[in-house]
Amino acid sequence: MEFSLDRDESHHLTDERATVEVTERDGAVIVTVRGKVLYDTLTPLSEAVSRLADRPATRVVLDLSGVSMCDSSGLNLFVRTRSELTSSGGWLRLAGTRPLVDNVLHITNLDRILPRYDTVEDALSA
């Protein structure tokens, strides 16, 4: 399946326990995730960000305000995505992380390399 994001276009990828919506705003791609980011629900998010990482200088905000849980496979995907995006001149920012996800990022020290913002708007204007 080919991926392109035209103006005012969004893409939805769904697992029964996770939903991903990809939109573009202010020169960045907003990936909105709802549900649980776990090993067995990761496919929609993984597919969305892998398509974005193929584009040069892509700026991505992961809106995690609708994510209630995140396991090590999700953290691994965040780190891998950050690495791929920064190597091509882009960046990855997390927005709206809830306390449980914040705690996991802090415990693993990933909060040092994955910038977090309260809202998508804050992430876009940083």
Side-chain angles (χ1 to χ4, degrees):
M1 171 170 31
E2 189 171 317
F3 181 80
S4 65
L5 192 61
D6 297 323
R7 186 173 278 213
D8 300 324
E9 181 180 2
S10 66
H11 295 272
H12 299 272
L13 300 167
T14 304
D15 176 279
E16 65 186 45
R17 293 166 289 164
T19 302
V20 176
E21 180 182 357
V22 180
T23 57
E24 191 164 0
R25 185 168 84 202
D26 298 331
V29 178
I30 313 302
V31 179
T32 303
V33 187
R34 303 260 183 255
K36 298 177 181 179
V37 179
L38 305 171
Y39 173 77
D40 59 344
T41 65
L42 196 62
T43 301
L45 179 56
S46 181
E47 288 177 359
V49 296
S50 70
R51 293 176 190 148
L52 295 171
D54 290 340
R55 297 166 44 179
T58 302
R59 302 176 332 161
V60 176
V61 175
L62 280 182
D63 179 359
L64 301 176
S65 61
V67 173
S68 58
M69 296 182 77
C70 180
D71 70 6
S72 62
S73 60
L75 297 177
N76 184 37
L77 177 64
F78 299 162
V79 171
R80 198 171 61 242
T81 300
R82 177 197 172 274
S83 177
E84 291 170 355
L85 291 171
T86 58
S87 71
S88 68
W91 47 251
L92 174 68
R93 296 176 181 166
L94 308 181
T97 53
R98 293 165 75 180
L100 184 61
V101 176
D102 272 336
N103 192 38
V104 171
L105 290 166
H106 179 71
I107 289 170
T108 59
N109 287 319
L110 291 177
D111 56 349
R112 294 181 181 185
I113 64 166
L114 295 169
R116 294 175 296 150
Y117 300 86
D118 291 335
T119 66
V120 170
E121 290 73 23
D122 289 344
L124 290 171
S125 64

